[in-house]
Amino acid sequence: QVQLVESGGGLVQAGGSLRLSCAASGRTFSRDTMGWFRQAPGKEREFVAAIIGSGTPIYYSDSVKGRFTISRDNAKNTVYLQMTSLKPEDTAVYYCVADRSGSSWNYWGQGTQVTVSS
């Protein structure tokens, strides 16, 4: 069974850092574009970052550029989101996603909560 499992979420003070991990299982994801979305309470789901299978290019939303870094370790079938300089507006459930078809996000994790206090 193909599965994405996020971890690393939690509570952090504004200005702090968190590193999210997404462990993929069921098959090799080295050829997939992988990424992160987030959804804050009362808001629409928004794109955060994406990374293609080879590791480049990388895409970020304007709201996180310069603060978040997406990376992947294909040997571990894992993608990461290093979040620094966190702001209260970063508070959301963060979802790991994968796209093998190139047309849609085929797989979604269950999400991990990130809460940034002021």
Side-chain angles (χ1 to χ4, degrees):
Q1 180 177 326
V2 173
Q3 190 174 21
L4 304 178
V5 180
E6 303 96 334
S7 62
L11 175 65
V12 65
Q13 295 285 332
S17 301
L18 282 175
R19 190 193 194 201
L20 306 183
S21 298
C22 173
S25 61
R27 63 168 177 83
T28 298
F29 279 73
S30 61
R31 297 174 65 182
D32 292 51
T33 297
M34 302 190 72
W36 295 89
F37 279 74
R38 68 186 182 185
Q39 187 166 25
K43 294 187 177 181
E44 298 292 325
R45 182 180 61 202
E46 68 171 333
F47 170 79
V48 176
I51 181 169
I52 65 168
S54 63
T56 186
I58 292 172
Y59 304 94
Y60 296 101
S61 69
D62 289 340
S63 63
V64 306
K65 284 181 180 178
R67 300 189 299 118
F68 291 10
T69 302
I70 188 171
S71 62
R72 66 192 298 159
D73 186 340
N74 286 336
K76 296 181 178 179
N77 227 23
T78 301
V79 63
Y80 306 95
L81 186 68
Q82 179 66 52
M83 306 183 294
T84 63
S85 301
L86 283 162
K87 305 173 181 179
E89 51 263 44
D90 294 318
T91 295
V93 176
Y94 284 71
Y95 298 92
C96 178
V97 296
D99 173 18
R100 193 167 192 174
S101 70
S103 61
S104 64
W105 297 108
N106 307 109
Y107 303 101
W108 290 72
Q110 291 185 314
T112 185
Q113 176 71 47
V114 172
T115 302
V116 184
S117 62
S118 60

